[in-house]
Amino acid sequence: MSEEASIPSARGAVDLSSLSSHQLQATDADAGTQQATWTMQLDEASFQQFVALSQRVPAIVSLGSPRVQVSVDLDTALKQLVDARAGSLVLGLVDAEAYPQIAQAFQAQQIPLVVALVNGQPVPLFQGPAATDQIEQVFGQLHQLAVQQGLSGTVPPFAGQAEAQPALPPLHQKAVDAIDEGDYAAAEAAYLEALNEKPNDHEAQVGLYQVRLLSRTQNLDLNQARAAAAANPDDLAAQLDVADLDVVGGHVEDAFARLVSLIARLADEDRERVRRRLIELYAVIGNNDPRVAASRQKLARVLF
């Protein structure tokens, strides 16, 4: 895997039609336990139904072998990170030696190989070992691609029970439902209504910032945005676009550094505009996040 993986466009679907549909089975390690998991072992019988899940959320396929330690370590990391996302991603583990037909479908030349399926289309992620932070960055980019293609919901776990969540207030639920449908304008309206009823509703405020971020980035192309920002360093809109995309893609520190540096060069209304965007992005990431705390210190030095 390269130092920083990129997500190509989802093109060139492989022929998966020869693999039959069957009931999904959870991994043996999770069977009979109560801890929720969105990870499963795949065979030729269960693979096609797993592919069908990619119409709802990104479906990640890890082609490896239990006899190769690099594969075992990678699958352990992938499982932890996928399960932590509570159904916004699913993971299928394939023993490429036991099921070579699946490996051939992805034209795998060596293992481990990790590929995502988005709306049935393969999206190569990385090959070989990967550190946790690298996987997180790739997952962030994959989430961005999924949102652009209208996949922003979740699916139930394959095994175990997800931790019960308290019911959302009606307007919050209305916003979440709208996000799942890709209707960001309706979601924003619901959060604004909630804030009108309760101005100190922190969850609604953060939700509003999140949905605005999704709305701003849904039609942006990362490469085009970066090129525009590099060519026009004083173009505020271009710089803000790249910062938004960096947050969505998991490059949080890069986004914060870009905006703090920009604020240092600005004055008056332009400075305030960028500062407000940065505060919104702080809230999206979470004010207790150490990256936010570090950036706030740098912002304070610039402002005062």
Side-chain angles (χ1 to χ4, degrees):
M1 177 180 173
S2 61
E3 183 172 346
E4 179 177 320
S6 60
I7 302 294
S9 59
R11 297 178 181 175
V14 295
D15 183 8
L16 306 174
S17 59
S18 62
L19 301 179
S20 63
S21 174
H22 191 69
Q23 181 67 31
L24 298 178
Q25 298 294 325
T27 59
D28 292 340
D30 294 310
T33 68
Q34 293 303 306
Q35 183 176 1
T37 182
W38 287 264
T39 300
M40 60 174 293
Q41 296 284 351
L42 293 178
D43 57 20
E44 292 178 357
S46 62
F47 185 71
Q48 196 63 40
Q49 191 171 347
F50 184 80
V51 173
L53 283 175
S54 72
Q55 303 291 333
R56 301 169 63 188
V57 296
I60 298 169
V61 179
S62 177
L63 298 151
S65 170
R67 292 161 291 283
V68 177
Q69 190 60 44
V70 172
S71 290
V72 173
D73 293 343
L74 178 60
D75 286 348
T76 298
L78 288 169
K79 179 183 184 302
Q80 180 180 3
L81 294 174
V82 166
D83 287 351
R85 290 177 177 251
S88 63
L89 298 174
V90 293
L91 172 64
L93 307 178
V94 178
D95 184 340
E97 296 173 347
Y99 302 104
Q101 188 177 3
I102 300 178
Q104 290 168 9
F106 288 103
Q107 301 178 350
Q109 300 299 314
Q110 66 181 65
I111 57 174
L113 173 69
V114 181
V115 180
L117 295 167
V118 178
N119 280 327
Q121 303 296 308
V123 183
L125 299 185
F126 50 81
Q127 186 169 292
T132 299
D133 58 343
Q134 293 174 313
I135 298 172
E136 284 280 32
Q137 288 182 3
V138 172
F139 281 4
Q141 295 170 10
L142 181 61
H143 173 72
Q144 179 185 340
L145 176 62
V147 168
Q148 290 171 352
Q149 298 203 18
L151 307 182
S152 58
T154 60
V155 296
F158 297 138
Q161 299 294 322
E163 183 179 350
Q165 298 293 326
L168 292 174
L171 288 171
H172 290 231
Q173 187 62 58
K174 182 178 179 181
V176 170
D177 292 343
I179 292 172
D180 287 344
E181 295 172 1
D183 190 345
Y184 300 135
E188 180 172 349
Y191 280 131
L192 286 171
E193 187 177 351
L195 286 166
N196 186 57
E197 292 183 359
K198 186 179 177 183
N200 63 344
D201 187 337
H202 175 72
E203 287 74 18
Q205 186 67 72
V206 172
L208 177 63
Y209 292 156
Q210 290 173 336
V211 78
R212 284 177 174 172
L213 175 62
L214 292 173
S215 179
R216 291 194 303 264
T217 57
Q218 65 176 332
N219 295 318
L220 292 179
D221 179 272
L222 179 59
N223 292 330
Q224 292 178 2
R226 287 197 184 282
N232 302 281
D234 294 325
D235 184 334
L236 296 191
Q239 302 303 323
L240 291 171
D241 283 347
V242 174
D244 281 345
L245 287 167
D246 275 345
V247 167
V248 172
H251 303 284
V252 173
E253 291 165 316
D254 291 343
F256 291 170
R258 177 182 294 272
L259 296 188
V260 170
S261 176
L262 188 59
I263 289 170
R265 306 199 309 268
L266 298 174
D268 303 328
E269 292 182 3
D270 287 342
R271 170 181 276 208
E272 179 59 18
R273 175 186 175 189
V274 178
R275 188 195 69 82
R276 286 198 303 268
R277 176 64 61 81
L278 184 56
I279 296 302
E280 287 188 16
L281 295 179
Y282 286 163
V284 167
I285 298 302
N287 289 317
N288 293 325
D289 190 292
R291 295 168 296 182
V292 171
S295 181
R296 283 189 182 279
Q297 292 178 357
K298 296 174 183 177
L299 176 62
R301 288 196 291 269
V302 166
L303 293 176
F304 306 107

